[in-house]
Amino acid sequence: MIGSRFPRLWVLAVTLGVTAAVIMLAMFFGQSRWLANRIVTTSSEQHYAFMQGSFERRARSRIHMVTDTLPAGGGNDEIRRILQRALGADRSLVGIRFKSHSGQTIESGSLPTADDDQNATTWLAERLVISYPVIKDDKDLGYLTGAFLLDELQAEKDAFAKQLTTSEVQSRVSSYYWIVGGTLIVLALCGSAIWLM
């Protein structure tokens, strides 16, 4: 009678142990995947916000340098040459426009439609548009608007996200080995205890 009850008790204990282990591992797996995805997403967003700020500061600095080269009483041809030279010097700058307060507009390259806000900073899908006032000899002459391609910024964002995802996958695979090894050891210990009983 003891012999017939022992295998049933052993099978029941092993079944309960395996079921509990599977449930706990499934919960751990789900929680770790959710947490890892949140960390990757949040890190990518924060890093991209930091990169956007840095890119905007560099773009603003470039526009400021162009405003310094504009002459106070220069003609249209001279201003157009300066704008074209600025386009050639910076490959991310794809369009630049000078608009005076008298309504004169000189443009070079490709820009979105004219915007009357001289302090605007606009993030578009593929471009950053920045306007900067042109002040010479304490006179406000107008403002300069530049459009910068975001290809470089997007490439940096994608590279960072790829590196973060690769690191997360490597860490996850390593944790799987530890989980499987620990589970097998626990099951072996439980099986040994039941066998000895």
Side-chain angles (χ1 to χ4, degrees), residues 33-34 91 96 117-118:
R33 290 288 296 143
W34 176 82
R91 65 184 181 87
I96 192 164
D117 186 1
Q118 61 179 337

Side-chain angles (χ1 to χ4, degrees), residues 65-179:
M65 287 191 314
V66 176
T67 61
D68 287 345
T69 62
L70 290 176
N76 290 357
D77 291 336
E78 186 179 1
I79 292 174
R80 186 170 283 110
R81 277 195 302 271
I82 291 171
L83 298 183
Q84 288 172 348
R85 200 176 314 128
L87 280 179
D90 186 351
R91 65 184 181 87
S92 66
L93 181 64
V94 293
I96 192 164
R97 175 191 305 126
F98 171 71
K99 186 170 184 179
S100 68
H101 288 304
S102 63
Q104 174 190 14
T105 301
I106 302 170
E107 185 174 318
S108 184
S110 172
L111 276 138
T113 57
D115 188 358
D116 289 333
D117 186 1
Q118 61 179 337
N119 296 315
T121 300
T122 308
W123 286 90
L124 302 173
E126 297 176 353
R127 295 179 186 191
L128 169 65
V129 181
I130 291 183
S131 295
Y132 200 85
V134 179
I135 300 172
K136 295 286 182 178
D137 301 327
D138 295 328
K139 290 181 182 177
D140 189 359
L141 303 177
Y143 63 95
L144 200 61
T145 301
F148 294 85
L149 278 180
L150 299 177
D151 293 348
E152 178 185 335
L153 184 66
Q154 190 63 41
E156 288 179 26
K157 176 189 175 186
D158 293 343
F160 180 78
K162 184 177 179 182
Q163 181 182 10
L164 204 58
T165 302
T166 301
S167 176
E168 187 268 330
V169 167
Q170 290 172 346
S171 177
R172 187 175 358 130
V173 168
S174 175
S175 69
Y176 289 163
Y177 288 133
W178 282 100
I179 291 167

